[in-house]
Amino acid sequence: MKICVTSNGPTMDASVDPRFGRCQYFVFVDSETMEHEAMPNPGIGASSGAGIQAAQTIADKGVGVVITGQVGPNAIQTLGAANISIVTGASGTISDAIEQYKSGRLQAAPAAPGAPATGMPGAGMGRGMGRGGGRGGGRGMGGGMGRGMGMGLGAPVAPTSPVPPLPAQTIDEEIQALESQIKDIKAKMEELKK
């Protein structure tokens, strides 16, 4: 499986960059052979939407799992739509993060509201017309984490640890991106009213 780790440098000894959308590099690692390649993040300087641009870049590379520190809700939705699992809380070097993932010491990121399920492969929250029924599942009504509504694919999911607060810069970037989206939505609504 192809794994992408956000990084401060282009080598396996570089440290994990806790930012997703504005990380310095993406390091792509084959989980079986540990062969890797690094790519500078083309969206690092984006005025807004860096997380979405990063997610699209990752999806274009055929990645199955992203390992990072934090991911914003827009990037979570984009990655989820591409069926890319998101694992957060990574630290240390890129090699350390891969080992943490393989040994199950990293947790799946919670899905954004309305986003397709993300996290460890096979995990999911059901949506649709069911009544959720606890953790775990397989296919069936209310599968997934049991929150839910519907016929989602589910699998037992380990409880996630609390996500540490985002750095102020990341919060400001998220606010700016959301304000931009609100402006676009309002403009579209006005256009539809005409």
Side-chain angles (χ1 to χ4, degrees), residues 89-177:
S91 60
T93 66
I94 304 306
S95 296
D96 294 339
I98 297 291
E99 278 308 308
Q100 291 167 16
Y101 173 72
K102 284 181 169 183
S103 68
R105 291 181 285 165
L106 296 176
Q107 300 297 322
T118 59
M120 299 303 250
M125 284 198 295
R127 294 192 296 166
M129 304 199 34
R131 287 194 179 233
R135 291 189 183 271
R139 292 181 188 262
M141 299 295 276
M145 292 178 67
R147 279 183 153 181
M149 311 265 314
M151 298 177 59
L153 293 177
V157 177
T160 59
S161 57
V163 177
L166 295 171
Q169 180 182 7
T170 304
I171 291 170
D172 290 341
E173 291 167 358
E174 285 297 319
I175 290 170
Q176 189 176 32

Side-chain angles (χ1 to χ4, degrees), residues 29-172:
V29 182
D30 182 309
S31 63
E32 293 178 23
T33 65
M34 295 303 286
E35 290 181 24
H36 63 279
E37 67 173 297
M39 171 183 162
N41 179 359
I44 192 170
S47 60
S48 66
I52 293 171
Q53 289 179 25
Q56 290 169 339
T57 298
I58 301 284
D60 290 345
K61 289 294 226 173
V63 168
V65 175
V66 170
I67 300 174
T68 188
Q70 299 286 334
V71 182
N74 294 334
I76 287 174
Q77 286 186 327
T78 305
L79 290 167
N83 293 319
I84 298 172
S85 297
I86 305 165
V87 179
T88 57
S91 60
T93 66
I94 304 306
S95 296
D96 294 339
I98 297 291
E99 278 308 308
Q100 291 167 16
Y101 173 72
K102 284 181 169 183
S103 68
R105 291 181 285 165
L106 296 176
Q107 300 297 322
T118 59
M120 299 303 250
M125 284 198 295
R127 294 192 296 166
M129 304 199 34
R131 287 194 179 233
R135 291 189 183 271
R139 292 181 188 262
M141 299 295 276
M145 292 178 67
R147 279 183 153 181
M149 311 265 314
M151 298 177 59
L153 293 177
V157 177
T160 59
S161 57
V163 177
L166 295 171
Q169 180 182 7
T170 304
I171 291 170
D172 290 341

